[in-house]
Structure formats: C-alpha cells, structure tokens
Amino acid sequence: MMATITIPTALRQYADGSASVALEADTVGALLRGLVEQHPTLGKHLFSEQGKLRSFVNIYVGDEDIRYLEGEETPVAGGDVVSIIPAIAGGMYV
C-alpha cells in the first residue's frame, strides 16, 4: 500500500503543481527520496548539499513530528499521510 505525502503550496511549483503524491516506501526518508526522484527540483528545498534534511523543513507522519520519533528512519505504512511543513519566519515586533 502507498503512503501519501502532502506538498505545501510554496513548494508545489517544484512538484509540477502537485498537492500530494502517493508512493510506496518503508520510511520517511525513503518516501522523501522517492518524491525527489520524481521531482528533482524539489530536492534542494528539502535536503542540504550533504543530503541531510534541512533544519527548517518539518515532517509529520499524521500529527507526529518525526524529530520526536525516529527522524528519517520513522516507519511509514500504507495509508499514512506524511506532511511537509516548511518553517515560516516573520511577523512584527511591537
């Protein structure tokens, strides 16, 4: 079975406009690499030159942040929804 990875609006232009992609993978890392294999221009927005997930990219399996699970080794199962949530800075200091 496939897991679905949701792509935020800001990154959809690098994924041919796709809001989500269904892929087969055993771990979050494999799922993300499968996504980048299909959409190579997305890679530089998710991974550093050293191949590490960028610190400002948050990944959730369901409602759980993978940083508090097993990181990229977090297992995924068929039917899981994995979300890419880029950190957003800004605002106004009053």
PDB file of all heavy atoms in Angstrom, residues 43-83:
ATOM      1  N   GLY A  43      14.363  18.709  -4.580  1.00  0.00           N
ATOM      2  CA  GLY A  43      15.429  18.224  -3.716  1.00  0.00           C
ATOM      3  C   GLY A  43      16.185  19.299  -2.967  1.00  0.00           C
ATOM      4  O   GLY A  43      16.415  19.187  -1.757  1.00  0.00           O
ATOM      5  N   LYS A  44      16.587  20.363  -3.642  1.00  0.00           N
ATOM      6  CA  LYS A  44      17.391  21.401  -2.986  1.00  0.00           C
ATOM      7  C   LYS A  44      16.591  22.163  -1.932  1.00  0.00           C
ATOM      8  O   LYS A  44      17.175  22.814  -1.080  1.00  0.00           O
ATOM      9  CB  LYS A  44      17.983  22.360  -4.015  1.00  0.00           C
ATOM     10  CG  LYS A  44      16.984  23.229  -4.733  1.00  0.00           C
ATOM     11  CD  LYS A  44      17.674  24.131  -5.732  1.00  0.00           C
ATOM     12  CE  LYS A  44      16.644  24.991  -6.437  1.00  0.00           C
ATOM     13  NZ  LYS A  44      17.276  25.896  -7.390  1.00  0.00           N
ATOM     14  N   HIS A  45      15.284  22.071  -1.987  1.00  0.00           N
ATOM     15  CA  HIS A  45      14.445  22.742  -0.993  1.00  0.00           C
ATOM     16  C   HIS A  45      14.224  21.872   0.244  1.00  0.00           C
ATOM     17  O   HIS A  45      13.843  22.380   1.298  1.00  0.00           O
ATOM     18  CB  HIS A  45      13.103  23.136  -1.612  1.00  0.00           C
ATOM     19  CG  HIS A  45      13.275  24.074  -2.760  1.00  0.00           C
ATOM     20  ND1 HIS A  45      13.528  25.419  -2.591  1.00  0.00           N
ATOM     21  CD2 HIS A  45      13.288  23.849  -4.098  1.00  0.00           C
ATOM     22  CE1 HIS A  45      13.662  25.984  -3.771  1.00  0.00           C
ATOM     23  NE2 HIS A  45      13.522  25.048  -4.711  1.00  0.00           N
ATOM     24  N   LEU A  46      14.453  20.580   0.111  1.00  0.00           N
ATOM     25  CA  LEU A  46      14.259  19.657   1.223  1.00  0.00           C
ATOM     26  C   LEU A  46      15.570  19.210   1.860  1.00  0.00           C
ATOM     27  O   LEU A  46      15.638  19.018   3.076  1.00  0.00           O
ATOM     28  CB  LEU A  46      13.483  18.420   0.751  1.00  0.00           C
ATOM     29  CG  LEU A  46      12.100  18.652   0.185  1.00  0.00           C
ATOM     30  CD1 LEU A  46      11.494  17.336  -0.279  1.00  0.00           C
ATOM     31  CD2 LEU A  46      11.202  19.324   1.216  1.00  0.00           C
ATOM     32  N   PHE A  47      16.611  19.030   1.035  1.00  0.00           N
ATOM     33  CA  PHE A  47      17.868  18.463   1.511  1.00  0.00           C
ATOM     34  C   PHE A  47      19.038  19.419   1.285  1.00  0.00           C
ATOM     35  O   PHE A  47      19.072  20.135   0.285  1.00  0.00           O
ATOM     36  CB  PHE A  47      18.159  17.141   0.787  1.00  0.00           C
ATOM     37  CG  PHE A  47      17.156  16.068   1.087  1.00  0.00           C
ATOM     38  CD1 PHE A  47      16.134  15.784   0.201  1.00  0.00           C
ATOM     39  CD2 PHE A  47      17.231  15.340   2.264  1.00  0.00           C
ATOM     40  CE1 PHE A  47      15.204  14.791   0.474  1.00  0.00           C
ATOM     41  CE2 PHE A  47      16.311  14.349   2.552  1.00  0.00           C
ATOM     42  CZ  PHE A  47      15.289  14.074   1.658  1.00  0.00           C
ATOM     43  N   SER A  48      20.001  19.370   2.198  1.00  0.00           N
ATOM     44  CA  SER A  48      21.227  20.162   2.060  1.00  0.00           C
ATOM     45  C   SER A  48      22.140  19.500   1.029  1.00  0.00           C
ATOM     46  O   SER A  48      21.868  18.386   0.566  1.00  0.00           O
ATOM     47  CB  SER A  48      21.951  20.240   3.406  1.00  0.00           C
ATOM     48  OG  SER A  48      22.475  18.960   3.753  1.00  0.00           O
ATOM     49  N   GLU A  49      23.251  20.156   0.734  1.00  0.00           N
ATOM     50  CA  GLU A  49      24.227  19.601  -0.196  1.00  0.00           C
ATOM     51  C   GLU A  49      24.801  18.288   0.328  1.00  0.00           C
ATOM     52  O   GLU A  49      25.268  17.449  -0.424  1.00  0.00           O
ATOM     53  CB  GLU A  49      25.369  20.603  -0.447  1.00  0.00           C
ATOM     54  CG  GLU A  49      24.941  21.856  -1.190  1.00  0.00           C
ATOM     55  CD  GLU A  49      24.193  22.856  -0.290  1.00  0.00           C
ATOM     56  OE1 GLU A  49      24.397  22.872   0.943  1.00  0.00           O
ATOM     57  OE2 GLU A  49      23.376  23.614  -0.829  1.00  0.00           O
ATOM     58  N   GLN A  50      24.776  18.104   1.651  1.00  0.00           N
ATOM     59  CA  GLN A  50      25.276  16.881   2.276  1.00  0.00           C
ATOM     60  C   GLN A  50      24.215  15.775   2.328  1.00  0.00           C
ATOM     61  O   GLN A  50      24.460  14.703   2.870  1.00  0.00           O
ATOM     62  CB  GLN A  50      25.757  17.173   3.707  1.00  0.00           C
ATOM     63  CG  GLN A  50      26.976  18.071   3.787  1.00  0.00           C
ATOM     64  CD  GLN A  50      26.621  19.544   3.567  1.00  0.00           C
ATOM     65  OE1 GLN A  50      25.528  19.996   3.877  1.00  0.00           O
ATOM     66  NE2 GLN A  50      27.554  20.293   2.994  1.00  0.00           N
ATOM     67  N   GLY A  51      23.022  16.050   1.788  1.00  0.00           N
ATOM     68  CA  GLY A  51      21.967  15.048   1.752  1.00  0.00           C
ATOM     69  C   GLY A  51      21.147  14.956   3.025  1.00  0.00           C
ATOM     70  O   GLY A  51      20.341  14.046   3.184  1.00  0.00           O
ATOM     71  N   LYS A  52      21.316  15.911   3.925  1.00  0.00           N
ATOM     72  CA  LYS A  52      20.560  15.929   5.187  1.00  0.00           C
ATOM     73  C   LYS A  52      19.304  16.768   5.019  1.00  0.00           C
ATOM     74  O   LYS A  52      19.303  17.776   4.299  1.00  0.00           O
ATOM     75  CB  LYS A  52      21.410  16.526   6.317  1.00  0.00           C
ATOM     76  CG  LYS A  52      22.688  15.772   6.579  1.00  0.00           C
ATOM     77  CD  LYS A  52      22.403  14.475   7.248  1.00  0.00           C
ATOM     78  CE  LYS A  52      23.693  13.760   7.605  1.00  0.00           C
ATOM     79  NZ  LYS A  52      23.479  12.438   8.066  1.00  0.00           N
ATOM     80  N   LEU A  53      18.246  16.347   5.691  1.00  0.00           N
ATOM     81  CA  LEU A  53      17.006  17.113   5.670  1.00  0.00           C
ATOM     82  C   LEU A  53      17.280  18.501   6.242  1.00  0.00           C
ATOM     83  O   LEU A  53      17.912  18.636   7.290  1.00  0.00           O
ATOM     84  CB  LEU A  53      15.944  16.389   6.501  1.00  0.00           C
ATOM     85  CG  LEU A  53      14.524  16.899   6.413  1.00  0.00           C
ATOM     86  CD1 LEU A  53      13.994  16.810   4.982  1.00  0.00           C
ATOM     87  CD2 LEU A  53      13.633  16.096   7.340  1.00  0.00           C
ATOM     88  N   ARG A  54      16.851  19.518   5.550  1.00  0.00           N
ATOM     89  CA  ARG A  54      17.106  20.891   6.004  1.00  0.00           C
ATOM     90  C   ARG A  54      16.393  21.140   7.336  1.00  0.00           C
ATOM     91  O   ARG A  54      15.291  20.655   7.563  1.00  0.00           O
ATOM     92  CB  ARG A  54      16.651  21.899   4.957  1.00  0.00           C
ATOM     93  CG  ARG A  54      17.489  21.828   3.696  1.00  0.00           C
ATOM     94  CD  ARG A  54      17.198  23.001   2.775  1.00  0.00           C
ATOM     95  NE  ARG A  54      18.002  22.925   1.578  1.00  0.00           N
ATOM     96  CZ  ARG A  54      19.246  23.394   1.463  1.00  0.00           C
ATOM     97  NH1 ARG A  54      19.828  23.956   2.494  1.00  0.00           N
ATOM     98  NH2 ARG A  54      19.895  23.289   0.322  1.00  0.00           N
ATOM     99  N   SER A  55      17.038  21.919   8.196  1.00  0.00           N
ATOM    100  CA  SER A  55      16.520  22.143   9.547  1.00  0.00           C
ATOM    101  C   SER A  55      15.192  22.908   9.561  1.00  0.00           C
ATOM    102  O   SER A  55      14.418  22.771  10.502  1.00  0.00           O
ATOM    103  CB  SER A  55      17.554  22.885  10.392  1.00  0.00           C
ATOM    104  OG  SER A  55      17.839  24.142   9.823  1.00  0.00           O
ATOM    105  N   PHE A  56      14.926  23.699   8.538  1.00  0.00           N
ATOM    106  CA  PHE A  56      13.692  24.467   8.518  1.00  0.00           C
ATOM    107  C   PHE A  56      12.525  23.715   7.864  1.00  0.00           C
ATOM    108  O   PHE A  56      11.442  24.265   7.709  1.00  0.00           O
ATOM    109  CB  PHE A  56      13.896  25.824   7.827  1.00  0.00           C
ATOM    110  CG  PHE A  56      14.418  25.723   6.415  1.00  0.00           C
ATOM    111  CD1 PHE A  56      13.555  25.480   5.357  1.00  0.00           C
ATOM    112  CD2 PHE A  56      15.767  25.884   6.153  1.00  0.00           C
ATOM    113  CE1 PHE A  56      14.035  25.383   4.058  1.00  0.00           C
ATOM    114  CE2 PHE A  56      16.256  25.796   4.864  1.00  0.00           C
ATOM    115  CZ  PHE A  56      15.396  25.545   3.814  1.00  0.00           C
ATOM    116  N   VAL A  57      12.757  22.474   7.499  1.00  0.00           N
ATOM    117  CA  VAL A  57      11.700  21.647   6.918  1.00  0.00           C
ATOM    118  C   VAL A  57      11.214  20.686   8.002  1.00  0.00           C
ATOM    119  O   VAL A  57      11.988  19.891   8.529  1.00  0.00           O
ATOM    120  CB  VAL A  57      12.216  20.862   5.694  1.00  0.00           C
ATOM    121  CG1 VAL A  57      11.133  19.926   5.173  1.00  0.00           C
ATOM    122  CG2 VAL A  57      12.656  21.811   4.598  1.00  0.00           C
ATOM    123  N   ASN A  58       9.963  20.798   8.358  1.00  0.00           N
ATOM    124  CA  ASN A  58       9.362  19.924   9.363  1.00  0.00           C
ATOM    125  C   ASN A  58       8.551  18.852   8.651  1.00  0.00           C
ATOM    126  O   ASN A  58       7.810  19.148   7.712  1.00  0.00           O
ATOM    127  CB  ASN A  58       8.457  20.734  10.293  1.00  0.00           C
ATOM    128  CG  ASN A  58       9.209  21.861  10.962  1.00  0.00           C
ATOM    129  OD1 ASN A  58      10.210  21.629  11.625  1.00  0.00           O
ATOM    130  ND2 ASN A  58       8.754  23.078  10.761  1.00  0.00           N
ATOM    131  N   ILE A  59       8.697  17.619   9.109  1.00  0.00           N
ATOM    132  CA  ILE A  59       7.993  16.499   8.502  1.00  0.00           C
ATOM    133  C   ILE A  59       7.145  15.831   9.586  1.00  0.00           C
ATOM    134  O   ILE A  59       7.637  15.534  10.676  1.00  0.00           O
ATOM    135  CB  ILE A  59       8.975  15.461   7.907  1.00  0.00           C
ATOM    136  CG1 ILE A  59       9.959  16.126   6.930  1.00  0.00           C
ATOM    137  CG2 ILE A  59       8.213  14.316   7.249  1.00  0.00           C
ATOM    138  CD1 ILE A  59       9.347  16.670   5.655  1.00  0.00           C
ATOM    139  N   TYR A  60       5.894  15.596   9.253  1.00  0.00           N
ATOM    140  CA  TYR A  60       4.960  14.953  10.171  1.00  0.00           C
ATOM    141  C   TYR A  60       4.393  13.691   9.539  1.00  0.00           C
ATOM    142  O   TYR A  60       4.066  13.676   8.355  1.00  0.00           O
ATOM    143  CB  TYR A  60       3.788  15.889  10.492  1.00  0.00           C
ATOM    144  CG  TYR A  60       4.168  17.032  11.389  1.00  0.00           C
ATOM    145  CD1 TYR A  60       4.823  18.147  10.886  1.00  0.00           C
ATOM    146  CD2 TYR A  60       3.887  16.985  12.748  1.00  0.00           C
ATOM    147  CE1 TYR A  60       5.183  19.202  11.711  1.00  0.00           C
ATOM    148  CE2 TYR A  60       4.247  18.027  13.585  1.00  0.00           C
ATOM    149  CZ  TYR A  60       4.890  19.130  13.060  1.00  0.00           C
ATOM    150  OH  TYR A  60       5.252  20.167  13.885  1.00  0.00           O
ATOM    151  N   VAL A  61       4.287  12.654  10.347  1.00  0.00           N
ATOM    152  CA  VAL A  61       3.534  11.455   9.973  1.00  0.00           C
ATOM    153  C   VAL A  61       2.261  11.538  10.789  1.00  0.00           C
ATOM    154  O   VAL A  61       2.307  11.458  12.022  1.00  0.00           O
ATOM    155  CB  VAL A  61       4.311  10.158  10.277  1.00  0.00           C
ATOM    156  CG1 VAL A  61       3.448   8.949   9.945  1.00  0.00           C
ATOM    157  CG2 VAL A  61       5.617  10.107   9.497  1.00  0.00           C
ATOM    158  N   GLY A  62       1.155  11.772  10.097  1.00  0.00           N
ATOM    159  CA  GLY A  62      -0.083  12.072  10.825  1.00  0.00           C
ATOM    160  C   GLY A  62       0.135  13.378  11.576  1.00  0.00           C
ATOM    161  O   GLY A  62       0.497  14.389  10.978  1.00  0.00           O
ATOM    162  N   ASP A  63      -0.041  13.347  12.895  1.00  0.00           N
ATOM    163  CA  ASP A  63       0.150  14.540  13.717  1.00  0.00           C
ATOM    164  C   ASP A  63       1.475  14.534  14.468  1.00  0.00           C
ATOM    165  O   ASP A  63       1.703  15.380  15.321  1.00  0.00           O
ATOM    166  CB  ASP A  63      -0.988  14.647  14.745  1.00  0.00           C
ATOM    167  CG  ASP A  63      -2.329  14.899  14.085  1.00  0.00           C
ATOM    168  OD1 ASP A  63      -2.364  15.521  13.001  1.00  0.00           O
ATOM    169  OD2 ASP A  63      -3.359  14.472  14.648  1.00  0.00           O
ATOM    170  N   GLU A  64       2.345  13.577  14.154  1.00  0.00           N
ATOM    171  CA  GLU A  64       3.589  13.412  14.900  1.00  0.00           C
ATOM    172  C   GLU A  64       4.799  13.939  14.133  1.00  0.00           C
ATOM    173  O   GLU A  64       5.054  13.526  13.003  1.00  0.00           O
ATOM    174  CB  GLU A  64       3.823  11.931  15.227  1.00  0.00           C
ATOM    175  CG  GLU A  64       2.733  11.319  16.088  1.00  0.00           C
ATOM    176  CD  GLU A  64       2.753  11.850  17.515  1.00  0.00           C
ATOM    177  OE1 GLU A  64       3.853  12.114  18.049  1.00  0.00           O
ATOM    178  OE2 GLU A  64       1.667  11.998  18.090  1.00  0.00           O
ATOM    179  N   ASP A  65       5.549  14.836  14.765  1.00  0.00           N
ATOM    180  CA  ASP A  65       6.777  15.382  14.196  1.00  0.00           C
ATOM    181  C   ASP A  65       7.844  14.283  14.232  1.00  0.00           C
ATOM    182  O   ASP A  65       8.117  13.720  15.294  1.00  0.00           O
ATOM    183  CB  ASP A  65       7.219  16.578  15.038  1.00  0.00           C
ATOM    184  CG  ASP A  65       8.387  17.350  14.453  1.00  0.00           C
ATOM    185  OD1 ASP A  65       9.198  16.757  13.709  1.00  0.00           O
ATOM    186  OD2 ASP A  65       8.500  18.549  14.769  1.00  0.00           O
ATOM    187  N   ILE A  66       8.467  14.010  13.085  1.00  0.00           N
ATOM    188  CA  ILE A  66       9.446  12.914  13.036  1.00  0.00           C
ATOM    189  C   ILE A  66      10.676  13.190  13.891  1.00  0.00           C
ATOM    190  O   ILE A  66      11.401  12.266  14.234  1.00  0.00           O
ATOM    191  CB  ILE A  66       9.869  12.552  11.590  1.00  0.00           C
ATOM    192  CG1 ILE A  66      10.649  13.691  10.927  1.00  0.00           C
ATOM    193  CG2 ILE A  66       8.665  12.111  10.771  1.00  0.00           C
ATOM    194  CD1 ILE A  66      11.389  13.273   9.666  1.00  0.00           C
ATOM    195  N   ARG A  67      10.903  14.439  14.257  1.00  0.00           N
ATOM    196  CA  ARG A  67      12.040  14.753  15.135  1.00  0.00           C
ATOM    197  C   ARG A  67      11.889  14.085  16.493  1.00  0.00           C
ATOM    198  O   ARG A  67      12.861  13.852  17.190  1.00  0.00           O
ATOM    199  CB  ARG A  67      12.174  16.255  15.324  1.00  0.00           C
ATOM    200  CG  ARG A  67      12.629  16.952  14.071  1.00  0.00           C
ATOM    201  CD  ARG A  67      12.796  18.435  14.293  1.00  0.00           C
ATOM    202  NE  ARG A  67      13.060  19.051  13.010  1.00  0.00           N
ATOM    203  CZ  ARG A  67      12.673  20.253  12.678  1.00  0.00           C
ATOM    204  NH1 ARG A  67      12.019  21.004  13.521  1.00  0.00           N
ATOM    205  NH2 ARG A  67      12.956  20.728  11.477  1.00  0.00           N
ATOM    206  N   TYR A  68      10.646  13.832  16.890  1.00  0.00           N
ATOM    207  CA  TYR A  68      10.377  13.203  18.186  1.00  0.00           C
ATOM    208  C   TYR A  68      10.102  11.712  18.032  1.00  0.00           C
ATOM    209  O   TYR A  68       9.741  11.054  18.993  1.00  0.00           O
ATOM    210  CB  TYR A  68       9.207  13.905  18.871  1.00  0.00           C
ATOM    211  CG  TYR A  68       9.492  15.374  19.061  1.00  0.00           C
ATOM    212  CD1 TYR A  68       8.846  16.334  18.275  1.00  0.00           C
ATOM    213  CD2 TYR A  68      10.439  15.808  19.981  1.00  0.00           C
ATOM    214  CE1 TYR A  68       9.127  17.677  18.428  1.00  0.00           C
ATOM    215  CE2 TYR A  68      10.729  17.156  20.142  1.00  0.00           C
ATOM    216  CZ  TYR A  68      10.069  18.075  19.362  1.00  0.00           C
ATOM    217  OH  TYR A  68      10.363  19.414  19.503  1.00  0.00           O
ATOM    218  N   LEU A  69      10.244  11.212  16.817  1.00  0.00           N
ATOM    219  CA  LEU A  69      10.089   9.785  16.549  1.00  0.00           C
ATOM    220  C   LEU A  69      11.463   9.234  16.200  1.00  0.00           C
ATOM    221  O   LEU A  69      12.371   9.299  17.018  1.00  0.00           O
ATOM    222  CB  LEU A  69       9.060   9.568  15.423  1.00  0.00           C
ATOM    223  CG  LEU A  69       7.639  10.092  15.721  1.00  0.00           C
ATOM    224  CD1 LEU A  69       6.759  10.021  14.491  1.00  0.00           C
ATOM    225  CD2 LEU A  69       7.020   9.327  16.881  1.00  0.00           C
ATOM    226  N   GLU A  70      11.626   8.748  14.990  1.00  0.00           N
ATOM    227  CA  GLU A  70      12.911   8.171  14.578  1.00  0.00           C
ATOM    228  C   GLU A  70      13.545   8.949  13.425  1.00  0.00           C
ATOM    229  O   GLU A  70      14.317   8.391  12.641  1.00  0.00           O
ATOM    230  CB  GLU A  70      12.712   6.708  14.193  1.00  0.00           C
ATOM    231  CG  GLU A  70      12.241   5.838  15.346  1.00  0.00           C
ATOM    232  CD  GLU A  70      11.947   4.420  14.918  1.00  0.00           C
ATOM    233  OE1 GLU A  70      12.803   3.798  14.258  1.00  0.00           O
ATOM    234  OE2 GLU A  70      10.842   3.950  15.228  1.00  0.00           O
ATOM    235  N   GLY A  71      13.197  10.212  13.308  1.00  0.00           N
ATOM    236  CA  GLY A  71      13.747  11.036  12.233  1.00  0.00           C
ATOM    237  C   GLY A  71      13.388  10.455  10.875  1.00  0.00           C
ATOM    238  O   GLY A  71      12.271   9.962  10.680  1.00  0.00           O
ATOM    239  N   GLU A  72      14.320  10.486   9.951  1.00  0.00           N
ATOM    240  CA  GLU A  72      14.070   9.964   8.608  1.00  0.00           C
ATOM    241  C   GLU A  72      13.845   8.461   8.605  1.00  0.00           C
ATOM    242  O   GLU A  72      13.317   7.916   7.644  1.00  0.00           O
ATOM    243  CB  GLU A  72      15.222  10.316   7.669  1.00  0.00           C
ATOM    244  CG  GLU A  72      15.276  11.789   7.311  1.00  0.00           C
ATOM    245  CD  GLU A  72      16.358  12.097   6.301  1.00  0.00           C
ATOM    246  OE1 GLU A  72      16.393  11.420   5.254  1.00  0.00           O
ATOM    247  OE2 GLU A  72      17.166  12.998   6.560  1.00  0.00           O
ATOM    248  N   GLU A  73      14.238   7.790   9.669  1.00  0.00           N
ATOM    249  CA  GLU A  73      14.029   6.339   9.789  1.00  0.00           C
ATOM    250  C   GLU A  73      12.648   5.991  10.335  1.00  0.00           C
ATOM    251  O   GLU A  73      12.330   4.822  10.538  1.00  0.00           O
ATOM    252  CB  GLU A  73      15.113   5.718  10.670  1.00  0.00           C
ATOM    253  CG  GLU A  73      16.505   5.823  10.062  1.00  0.00           C
ATOM    254  CD  GLU A  73      16.589   5.183   8.683  1.00  0.00           C
ATOM    255  OE1 GLU A  73      16.101   4.049   8.496  1.00  0.00           O
ATOM    256  OE2 GLU A  73      17.153   5.827   7.773  1.00  0.00           O
ATOM    257  N   THR A  74      11.806   6.999  10.581  1.00  0.00           N
ATOM    258  CA  THR A  74      10.445   6.758  11.054  1.00  0.00           C
ATOM    259  C   THR A  74       9.708   5.901  10.039  1.00  0.00           C
ATOM    260  O   THR A  74       9.652   6.241   8.849  1.00  0.00           O
ATOM    261  CB  THR A  74       9.693   8.089  11.269  1.00  0.00           C
ATOM    262  OG1 THR A  74      10.418   8.861  12.240  1.00  0.00           O
ATOM    263  CG2 THR A  74       8.270   7.870  11.725  1.00  0.00           C
ATOM    264  N   PRO A  75       9.137   4.785  10.471  1.00  0.00           N
ATOM    265  CA  PRO A  75       8.412   3.919   9.535  1.00  0.00           C
ATOM    266  C   PRO A  75       7.137   4.581   9.018  1.00  0.00           C
ATOM    267  O   PRO A  75       6.497   5.366   9.726  1.00  0.00           O
ATOM    268  CB  PRO A  75       8.044   2.694  10.371  1.00  0.00           C
ATOM    269  CG  PRO A  75       8.757   2.818  11.659  1.00  0.00           C
ATOM    270  CD  PRO A  75       9.177   4.239  11.821  1.00  0.00           C
ATOM    271  N   VAL A  76       6.791   4.255   7.786  1.00  0.00           N
ATOM    272  CA  VAL A  76       5.507   4.651   7.217  1.00  0.00           C
ATOM    273  C   VAL A  76       4.811   3.395   6.718  1.00  0.00           C
ATOM    274  O   VAL A  76       5.446   2.437   6.296  1.00  0.00           O
ATOM    275  CB  VAL A  76       5.637   5.688   6.077  1.00  0.00           C
ATOM    276  CG1 VAL A  76       6.099   7.020   6.606  1.00  0.00           C
ATOM    277  CG2 VAL A  76       6.550   5.222   4.975  1.00  0.00           C
ATOM    278  N   ALA A  77       3.496   3.426   6.796  1.00  0.00           N
ATOM    279  CA  ALA A  77       2.689   2.294   6.361  1.00  0.00           C
ATOM    280  C   ALA A  77       1.701   2.776   5.305  1.00  0.00           C
ATOM    281  O   ALA A  77       1.459   3.980   5.164  1.00  0.00           O
ATOM    282  CB  ALA A  77       1.933   1.704   7.551  1.00  0.00           C
ATOM    283  N   GLY A  78       1.126   1.837   4.593  1.00  0.00           N
ATOM    284  CA  GLY A  78       0.117   2.175   3.610  1.00  0.00           C
ATOM    285  C   GLY A  78      -1.008   2.956   4.252  1.00  0.00           C
ATOM    286  O   GLY A  78      -1.444   2.631   5.351  1.00  0.00           O
ATOM    287  N   GLY A  79      -1.406   4.013   3.614  1.00  0.00           N
ATOM    288  CA  GLY A  79      -2.484   4.845   4.131  1.00  0.00           C
ATOM    289  C   GLY A  79      -2.011   5.994   4.992  1.00  0.00           C
ATOM    290  O   GLY A  79      -2.784   6.907   5.287  1.00  0.00           O
ATOM    291  N   ASP A  80      -0.738   5.984   5.428  1.00  0.00           N
ATOM    292  CA  ASP A  80      -0.216   7.096   6.223  1.00  0.00           C
ATOM    293  C   ASP A  80      -0.174   8.361   5.378  1.00  0.00           C
ATOM    294  O   ASP A  80       0.045   8.317   4.168  1.00  0.00           O
ATOM    295  CB  ASP A  80       1.205   6.814   6.723  1.00  0.00           C
ATOM    296  CG  ASP A  80       1.242   5.921   7.948  1.00  0.00           C
ATOM    297  OD1 ASP A  80       0.173   5.664   8.546  1.00  0.00           O
ATOM    298  OD2 ASP A  80       2.350   5.473   8.307  1.00  0.00           O
ATOM    299  N   VAL A  81      -0.369   9.493   6.049  1.00  0.00           N
ATOM    300  CA  VAL A  81      -0.222  10.794   5.406  1.00  0.00           C
ATOM    301  C   VAL A  81       0.988  11.469   6.029  1.00  0.00           C
ATOM    302  O   VAL A  81       1.062  11.645   7.246  1.00  0.00           O
ATOM    303  CB  VAL A  81      -1.478  11.668   5.580  1.00  0.00           C
ATOM    304  CG1 VAL A  81      -1.254  13.054   4.995  1.00  0.00           C
ATOM    305  CG2 VAL A  81      -2.682  11.004   4.922  1.00  0.00           C
ATOM    306  N   VAL A  82       1.952  11.812   5.186  1.00  0.00           N
ATOM    307  CA  VAL A  82       3.176  12.480   5.607  1.00  0.00           C
ATOM    308  C   VAL A  82       3.108  13.904   5.060  1.00  0.00           C
ATOM    309  O   VAL A  82       2.892  14.097   3.866  1.00  0.00           O
ATOM    310  CB  VAL A  82       4.416  11.731   5.089  1.00  0.00           C
ATOM    311  CG1 VAL A  82       5.685  12.482   5.430  1.00  0.00           C
ATOM    312  CG2 VAL A  82       4.441  10.307   5.642  1.00  0.00           C
ATOM    313  N   SER A  83       3.291  14.868   5.950  1.00  0.00           N
ATOM    314  CA  SER A  83       3.174  16.269   5.560  1.00  0.00           C
ATOM    315  C   SER A  83       4.515  16.976   5.637  1.00  0.00           C
ATOM    316  O   SER A  83       5.251  16.801   6.610  1.00  0.00           O
ATOM    317  CB  SER A  83       2.190  16.999   6.486  1.00  0.00           C
ATOM    318  OG  SER A  83       0.931  16.384   6.449  1.00  0.00           O
TER     319      SER A  83
END
